[in-house]
Amino acid sequence: MGYLEELNSGEKNLYSDSYFSGEYNQSLYLVKSRDDGSHKDKYYIWATTMIDGREVKQGHIYFYLDHDTKTSSFIGVKVLEQFRNLNIGSLLVSSWIDLCLNSGYDFLGVHEKQRKPFLLYLLKTYGFDILDQSLYDTRRDVVSLCRCNDYSDRRKLLLFRDKKHEDIFANSKVFSTNNYEIIGDIGDYIYLDDVIMPLQSFRRDNVPYYLLNYDKAKVKTKSVLERHKK
């Protein structure tokens, strides 16, 4: 049995206290969740900081681990609003990838319920993608991601291929809480990438994302972790 397998459910285990984001020194904690009914081992990495002598949780990443097959499935990342734009999400993704690869969990995927387009884009910058690239040309549930030329403008710009898909997403909680804005064309915006994002109420087969480029993941993970090192 390894370190991850031996963790007790609900225990808070210090993973690292050697990082910072912005003006905040951080500790990362690894937590094994209690069974949520899925009968899968779910884990969290929490990012915390000390503010006025009190430990404050800034955000977390959560994921499944299958100890028998040595695989991991990314579920999601949440960063509290007051700590956004400090690249904490990228630090957490890097920590997850680093933890998995160093522990022999070398087949990484993304849970099919992931519905945040810019989070899928973040994962693509680490080497995650779909197996069949031709689907970007043939499916209607493709979303193009853009940003403004002004880097201080933090809006997340989305261009939908399908109007019905756009309307469904515009009425979702993800849209209302994540600073997204829907645009009609790319215009003068900077195009970033495309993602395929089926919605639960949109009848399309889910498209799984997997870590396909391990060299890219290792290089970016090392770069991000070093950038956050004290």
Side-chain angles (χ1 to χ4, degrees), residues 98-211:
D98 189 61
L99 172 70
C100 289
L101 297 185
N102 287 335
S103 303
Y105 289 78
D106 54 3
F107 185 84
L108 309 183
V110 180
H111 195 266
E112 63 183 18
K113 292 185 179 180
Q114 181 51 244
R115 298 290 191 264
K116 294 183 179 180
F118 267 76
L119 190 47
L120 288 173
Y121 166 65
L122 174 62
L123 291 168
K124 288 185 73 172
T125 68
Y126 280 85
F128 286 80
D129 214 326
I130 60 175
L131 293 172
D132 185 354
Q133 296 287 299
S134 69
L135 294 178
Y136 286 110
D137 298 322
T138 59
R139 289 177 63 112
R140 295 169 57 200
D141 48 354
V142 171
V143 185
S144 297
L145 311 183
C146 304
R147 66 166 176 79
C148 295
N149 287 282
D150 180 1
Y151 279 86
S152 66
D153 191 330
R154 300 288 187 174
R155 288 177 299 162
K156 302 172 182 176
L157 307 175
L158 307 176
L159 176 62
F160 284 80
R161 181 173 292 176
D162 184 273
K163 178 61 178 173
K164 182 180 179 182
H165 193 196
E166 174 186 317
D167 292 341
I168 292 172
F169 186 76
N171 289 291
S172 69
K173 185 177 180 180
V174 172
F175 176 78
S176 63
T177 59
N178 284 272
N179 199 30
Y180 290 121
E181 183 173 316
I182 296 172
I183 57 176
D185 57 70
I186 291 179
D188 294 328
Y189 299 122
I190 296 175
Y191 166 79
L192 298 175
D193 207 341
D194 287 339
V195 297
I196 295 178
M197 191 191 65
L199 297 177
Q200 290 174 327
S201 55
F202 197 68
R203 292 187 178 180
R204 296 281 176 187
D205 293 333
N206 290 318
V207 178
Y209 283 74
Y210 298 108
L211 180 55

Side-chain angles (χ1 to χ4, degrees), residues 25-37:
N25 290 324
Q26 289 168 308
S27 295
L28 300 183
Y29 289 93
L30 182 62
V31 180
K32 182 178 180 180
S33 176
R34 294 180 174 85
D35 187 6
D36 60 1

